[in-house]
Amino acid sequence: MKLIIAVVQDDDANDLIDLLTEKNFRVTKLATTGGFLKSGNTTLMIGVEEDKIDEVIGQIEEVCKTRNQIMTAPSPVAGSTGVYVPYPIEVKVGGATIFVIDVDKFVKI
Ligand code: 2BA
């Protein structure tokens, strides 16, 4: 068995969960926060047999869109004056960041 861990954007999460559960995949949703943007995203844990990995990744690809997000980063205005002015940076986020992990043991009690 494999564990697919997919970090997706909040806006895509419910559509993806609906699609996966319709296709009989089991999904656990975690509310997570990205370290760079420090804003919310969603992490899904999906336990599957090895031969289903490509199908699940295909579903994720179908639903999860790439978006540009603006974040504000502080920048020193004048060298050592200690004055900081926020300036916007655009970053491209998603579709999804996917990890596939080997599961040594799976027990359902
Ligand atoms: P965040 O860490 O909030 O990152 C959001 C987006 O900011 C990233 O999109 C990327 O475009 C940009 N970014 C991240 N770190 C950067 C850096 N050091 N310099 C410049 N730009 C940077 P994605 O790559 O699509 O990642 C979306 C979310 O997926 C991330 O949110 C994070 O929560 C997760 N993620 C991505 N790669 C990961 C990894 N290797 N390990 C764990 N989580 C990861």
Side-chain angles (χ1 to χ4, degrees), residues 1-3 26 47-49 103-109:
M1 183 168 220
K2 303 280 183 181
L3 178 64
R26 312 258 168 123
V48 290
E49 293 307 325
V103 176
D104 288 337
K105 193 171 177 179
F106 170 73
V107 183
K108 175 84 179 68
I109 298 168

Side-chain angles (χ1 to χ4, degrees), residues 5-10 13 28-35 38-45:
I5 298 180
V7 184
V8 305
Q9 294 176 69
D10 290 347
T28 297
K29 177 185 177 186
L30 305 171
T32 46
T33 303
K38 298 192 170 46
S39 63
N41 53 29
T42 298
T43 298
L44 300 181
M45 296 197 306

